[in-house]
Amino acid sequence: MDAAKPLGVDPIVVEIVKGALKACGDEMEALMVRTSMSPFIREKGDHFSGLADSKARILYTTHDRSGPGMLETIFERYPPQSMHAGDVYWASDPYILHGAISHSPDMCFIAPAFLGEDIVGYSLCFGHFWDVGGVRPGSISPQATDIFQEGVVVPQVRIVDRGRLNDELYRTILRNSRFPDMLEGDTRAMMAASRLGQSRLLELFERYGKAQVEAAFDALQARSERAVRSCIATHVRPGRYRFADYVDNDCVTDQPYRVEVEVEFGAEGVELVDCTGSDDQARGPINYLMHPDCCRMIFSRFLVNLDGTVNQNSGAFRPIGEVRLRSGSILQPIRPAPLGLRAHTLWRFANAALGVFAQAAPGNTPAGSPDYVIVIFHALDAKPGEHFFCTDGLGAGQGARPHADGLDVIYVGTQKNYPIEFLEGAYPMRIERYAIQPDSGGPGRFRGGVGIVRDYRILAEKVMVATRMGNQKTPAWGVAGGCAARPGRIVVNPGQPGERSVPGFAEGVLLARGEVLRVITSGGGGYGNPFEREPSRVLGDVLDGFVTIEAARADYGVVLDGSGRALDEAATTRLRAAMPAASAPFDRGAAFDRLERGRQRAANSESALK
């Protein structure tokens, strides 16, 4: 019997339910965007919506690294039998949530859907909130050394009880934000979205009946599980594979942190994901508290993408077996370790998982991608009424694919950077340059996506800046003969007598009126031998400003004529004939090799002392 069509399930109803779940998630997202107040949610799209069934299985998620574990945490305090129609639950403590929420500004809301006396499902959502207190505006400080410096955390609470808001608790939480009106607007948007999801779930049950809808849920879970197992059986070679990547430092010290994953693939599933080889937890805020099911979701994400007919749900990560984590490590830190900048470690873990697939499923995986970049501005010693706070997220290039160049200038997933018109209209700054950064993408038969250069002219009297830019020590890796990307950098007053560099992770950078902050983001790794890229495509890259004339020659063996607008075909043929063939499966860059050698020397010295 087909696992996607259990006995008695109408396949048409299954497809309708599948579409309805997606439509519900999209509608919840639209409601959040329309009614929230902060730019994080309204402009950038840093939010999530999801739906779960009565067994707490994820049915649909709009964010493929969020959802698992949220309900189970609520149940620890409020078991389903204690819930009522009209309830909404709130939580944001990453440690209580076991990593289902991984830093304090992300707050989740959950609403149970009652059909009569029975819970038939749950609606979930979260948003990244503008400010929840803490040592710095925005609640994320690169120099935080414990979670108490990162703002208020909310344990499991029933914020709405049978339709009645717990006003005393709500006012207390709002009072802990520097921007309480914005926090209130965003949290009310989340509560409204959770109630919307609840009502759409009930409409499904009322239309098709409990038995039909729950059978459709089972069918969709089974379909996703089958698709993942089929992808593993078809594309992945059984065996044990290991890959590692580095976070540049923990913001507080200059020590790099290694993220390692070792994976054992079976014939139809992942037998083990072993993360215990990763470094100990960091003093600074790059720790990533990873929920085991979020780890499973990262692995199933790659496989689900090979089959576009199924949803990312709990069924999709059932084939991912044991997840082994080590308490006290950078992937399983112990409270009160800070977590605010955990995304840099999350992305290195995701890239390490991709590196495992590049070995186990050669030819089917893209090259590595860098972290996104964030710069934070806020007024210093501002007059009353002139204070401002701005967090701007910037895109970077993504890894080249086995069949195409990498995507250019992607912030993160479905999120977006702020439009120039918004920044200049809302904050005392002028964007004087926003352009492609040539040569930032790793060379390859398929070029890595490129990053950008963005210049901010400060128009306020005095501004303090914090920066978040990784991949300066270890840029995104190339694969299958492709080359590593070029790292980014941050500069104050470029080309002027007072020019100075800013570290990737910095806080307390002071800028005065008229000064310029230039941010250059990195690109993605290349795929395949760059000398196999068609010269005409390299010429097109030069004309479009993605590759310089010098890099066309050095990286691709392509020579242009004196005008710089046409190929010198004879010179190109001669140069390429003299180029060595690329053979390494990965290009990690010279810095990665130095870090690995230094690590091995340290291990040898420690062993000798014992």
Side-chain angles (χ1 to χ4, degrees):
M1 183 180 71
D2 188 338
K5 296 187 291 183
L7 187 64
V9 180
D10 184 340
I12 296 176
V13 173
V14 172
E15 293 304 316
I16 291 173
V17 169
K18 178 187 173 188
L21 292 173
K22 182 181 186 306
C24 176
D26 291 347
E27 191 177 1
M28 291 169 67
E29 300 272 300
L31 175 62
M32 286 186 271
V33 170
R34 289 198 307 267
T35 61
S36 62
M37 292 183 63
S38 74
F40 259 137
I41 298 173
R42 189 182 69 247
E43 299 289 342
K44 284 175 61 178
D46 195 346
H47 47 71
F48 146 85
S49 66
L51 300 163
D53 67 8
S54 60
K55 301 172 185 175
R57 298 180 302 182
I58 298 296
L59 299 168
Y60 180 78
T61 168
T62 59
H63 189 303
D64 58 12
R65 288 170 302 281
S66 297
M70 294 180 185
L71 279 170
E72 290 83 351
T73 298
I74 297 297
F75 295 160
E76 291 173 6
R77 180 71 179 176
Y78 300 98
Q81 59 267 28
S82 72
M83 295 180 173
H84 309 99
D87 286 357
V88 178
Y89 299 86
W90 184 357
S92 73
D93 188 326
Y95 287 101
I96 287 179
L97 283 153
H98 312 293
I101 290 291
S102 52
H103 68 172
S104 306
D106 288 344
M107 295 189 171
C108 70
F109 294 82
I110 293 167
F114 277 83
L115 186 66
E117 298 296 318
D118 299 327
I119 295 177
V120 292
Y122 300 87
S123 171
L124 309 86
C125 64
F126 84 66
H128 181 131
F129 293 98
W130 196 241
D131 180 272
V132 294
V135 69
R136 295 289 187 189
S139 311
I140 296 180
S141 167
Q143 294 181 346
T145 54
D146 64 50
I147 196 169
F148 301 109
Q149 298 170 352
E150 297 177 337
V152 65
V153 294
V154 182
Q156 314 99 311
V157 299
R158 184 162 19 208
I159 192 64
V160 180
D161 186 353
R162 306 182 214 202
R164 182 176 180 179
L165 179 70
N166 185 336
D167 184 64
E168 287 78 9
L169 174 60
Y170 190 50
R171 287 187 291 108
T172 300
I173 295 171
L174 296 182
R175 186 68 176 173
N176 280 274
S177 173
R178 295 173 177 84
F179 305 93
D181 292 344
M182 198 172 288
L183 181 59
E184 180 174 10
D186 288 351
T187 52
R188 288 188 181 275
M190 296 294 122
M191 288 187 273
S194 66
R195 289 193 293 267
L196 174 63
Q198 172 195 64
S199 65
R200 294 293 183 261
L201 268 178
L202 288 178
E203 288 172 7
L204 266 180
F205 280 90
E206 290 166 355
R207 181 176 180 182
Y208 294 105
K210 185 178 179 182
Q212 275 267 61
V213 173
E214 289 186 340
F217 288 168
D218 289 340
L220 291 170
Q221 296 278 331
R223 181 186 295 178
S224 294
E225 179 179 0
R226 185 184 61 188
V228 169
R229 293 193 183 279
S230 175
C231 285
I232 292 173
T234 303
H235 298 289
V236 176
R237 298 181 302 197
R240 201 174 183 97
Y241 305 89
R242 180 187 299 153
F243 201 87
D245 211 338
Y246 282 89
V247 184
D248 284 353
N249 59 66
D250 69 351
C251 313
V252 176
T253 72
D254 195 42
Q255 175 187 339
Y257 282 79
R258 193 172 189 268
V259 179
E260 179 183 289
V261 60
E262 187 170 0
V263 181
E264 184 174 345
F265 289 98
E268 289 189 341
V270 176
E271 305 295 333
L272 173 67
V273 180
D274 187 349
C275 307
T276 59
S278 297
D279 281 349
D280 291 344
Q281 69 186 55
R283 183 163 177 255
I286 61 167
N287 299 292
Y288 172 46
L289 183 63
M290 184 164 63
H291 191 284
D293 277 349
C294 289
C295 175
R296 293 183 177 98
M297 186 174 279
I298 288 171
F299 274 83
S300 65
R301 172 194 187 195
F302 170 77
L303 297 159
V304 166
N305 284 347
L306 295 177
D307 185 340
T309 66
V310 296
N311 288 338
Q312 174 70 285
N313 57 31
S314 293
F317 52 83
R318 275 202 297 256
I320 315 302
E322 180 186 359
V323 174
R324 193 173 293 168
L325 297 162
R326 179 172 61 86
S327 180
S329 72
I330 195 172
L331 297 178
Q332 201 67 193
I334 299 170
R335 187 176 186 268
L339 308 170
L341 275 66
R342 89 289 185 236
H344 296 280
T345 300
L346 163 59
W347 287 117
R348 291 312 93 215
F349 176 81
N351 270 259
L354 186 63
V356 165
F357 278 114
Q359 299 170 69
N364 288 309
T365 58
S369 295
D371 308 345
Y372 57 84
V373 176
I374 290 179
V375 286
I376 303 169
F377 305 84
H378 69 89
L380 190 66
D381 301 329
K383 296 178 182 177
E386 294 183 3
H387 180 80
F388 78 94
F389 170 73
C390 172
T391 298
D392 193 16
L394 301 178
Q398 303 300 290
R401 295 161 286 178
H403 55 83
D405 293 344
L407 299 174
D408 303 310
V409 196
I410 298 296
Y411 173 54
V412 52
T414 58
Q415 296 182 30
K416 298 171 285 188
N417 62 264
Y418 295 145
I420 291 174
E421 294 82 358
F422 169 76
L423 282 174
E424 294 185 339
Y427 304 109
M429 62 179 64
R430 184 169 64 241
I431 308 302
E432 296 190 343
R433 185 181 181 191
Y434 187 31
I436 290 295
Q437 176 64 16
D439 302 333
S440 52
R445 179 182 179 189
F446 297 110
R447 173 183 49 75
V450 296
I452 55 96
V453 54
R454 189 152 167 154
D455 287 358
Y456 303 83
R457 175 80 66 179
I458 302 302
L459 303 181
E461 192 65 30
K462 194 185 298 184
V463 171
M464 182 176 287
V465 176
T467 61
R468 290 177 53 183
M469 175 185 286
N471 304 105
Q472 292 185 310
K473 292 180 180 176
T474 54
W477 41 268
V479 69
C483 300
R486 273 60 168 183
R489 61 189 186 276
I490 304 172
V491 182
V492 174
N493 297 327
Q496 301 300 312
E499 177 179 331
R500 64 188 189 273
S501 295
V502 176
F505 294 126
E507 188 166 60
V509 179
L510 296 178
L511 298 179
R513 184 188 301 275
E515 292 196 294
V516 171
L517 181 75
R518 172 170 293 174
V519 181
I520 300 172
T521 68
S522 61
Y527 186 100
N529 188 344
F531 307 132
E532 295 178 1
R533 187 171 178 86
E534 299 90 331
S536 60
R537 297 187 69 186
V538 177
L539 173 62
D541 284 340
V542 172
L543 297 178
D544 290 337
F546 289 80
V547 174
T548 61
I549 293 175
E550 295 77 16
R553 182 185 186 102
D555 295 335
Y556 293 94
V558 172
V559 183
L560 304 188
D561 67 8
S563 71
R565 302 188 63 82
L567 293 171
D568 186 330
E569 295 184 4
T572 296
T573 300
R574 288 194 301 271
L575 181 58
R576 284 193 161 188
M579 293 286 191
S583 58
F586 296 101
D587 177 21
R588 308 304 306 270
F592 179 87
D593 294 334
R594 286 196 299 270
L595 288 172
E596 289 286 89
R597 289 193 297 270
R599 183 184 182 87
Q600 188 59 52
R601 285 194 299 271
N604 292 341
S605 298
E606 184 177 343
S607 177
L609 290 173
K610 292 180 179 179

